[in-house]
Amino acid sequence: MHPKLETLFEEAENRYLKPEELTVLSQYVESLPERLEVYRQIRDREIDIMQTVADRLTAQFPQESKDTLERSIKNALLMLRYCAMAMLLNDEAFVKERLLGWLAQSIQTYKTQPIDSALYKLLNQQLAQSLTAKQINLLKPALVLAQTSLLKLEGASEPKS
């Protein structure tokens, strides 16, 4: 659940919600049907979206080993799932706490920044074709956070010139 909502409920244990607290809650509740729809669409189209991305990535990096490409694709698939859940919860911290923590080690070990950078671009293009602009805007904060954070982690592990 969104941290603001959690705090709101905790603070209101012995009192009624204030008007501004009700506004925050109402905004989340009103956006929930659209968030659910986006989540369902991503879930239902995940294979098609990622297969298209994988095919294009393989064509872009024919010299890379199958294992390296598969690792990056699997990581991107997990990133998409975590971002979809963060979007549903309206909680970007979900990405930081649940995805970036454990994935950082893998990212730093394999140093696949050029592949991942291209993969994220292809994924974003495919999502733009699969979702409406409004739906993309719901997903975008978590997706941008995850992608930029993961690419920064990869860049941090490379030696400086």
Side-chain angles (χ1 to χ4, degrees):
M1 182 182 296
H2 191 282
K4 286 182 183 177
L5 294 179
E6 277 186 59
T7 302
L8 192 148
F9 290 129
E10 288 170 7
E11 291 176 356
E13 264 185 37
N14 298 314
R15 63 174 172 79
Y16 288 106
L17 295 173
K18 297 174 187 173
E20 60 273 9
E21 293 170 330
L22 282 172
T23 300
V24 169
L25 181 60
S26 292
Q27 289 171 343
Y28 176 71
V29 170
E30 288 170 9
S31 72
L32 197 52
E34 184 69 21
R35 290 175 189 282
L36 283 166
E37 180 58 28
V38 174
Y39 185 86
R40 284 184 190 112
Q41 284 189 30
I42 292 169
R43 180 198 63 197
D44 295 346
R45 295 180 181 174
E46 176 188 80
I47 293 171
D48 294 333
I49 290 168
M50 292 307 294
Q51 186 61 57
T52 301
V53 169
D55 292 345
R56 291 179 181 164
L57 189 68
T58 303
Q60 234 178 329
F61 291 91
Q63 74 285 3
E64 288 297 334
S65 73
K66 181 179 176 183
D67 288 343
T68 300
L69 293 173
E70 281 181 3
R71 186 179 304 105
S72 287
I73 292 164
K74 285 178 185 177
N75 286 344
L77 177 62
L78 291 171
M79 176 197 62
L80 180 60
R81 289 176 182 172
Y82 277 84
C83 289
M85 182 58 73
M87 178 271 314
L88 183 61
L89 297 171
N90 193 24
D91 183 6
E92 291 176 33
F94 184 85
V95 170
K96 290 179 186 175
E97 295 165 3
R98 305 266 178 115
L99 174 71
L100 299 179
W102 65 265
L103 191 53
Q105 201 71 343
S106 173
I107 294 293
Q108 290 177 341
T109 301
Y110 295 105
K111 299 176 182 144
T112 55
Q113 187 174 14
I115 295 168
D116 292 339
S117 182
L119 192 155
Y120 298 159
K121 183 178 179 183
L122 291 168
L123 177 59
N124 293 340
Q125 289 170 353
Q126 195 60 37
L127 287 169
Q129 292 176 5
S130 301
L131 303 172
T132 67
K134 185 176 179 183
Q135 292 172 327
I136 289 290
N137 285 335
L138 287 172
L139 182 63
K140 197 172 192 173
L143 201 58
V144 168
L145 173 65
Q147 291 176 352
T148 56
S149 297
L150 292 173
L151 289 177
K152 283 180 187 173
L153 285 172
E154 289 180 284
S157 66
E158 295 175 0
K160 295 184 179 184
S161 314

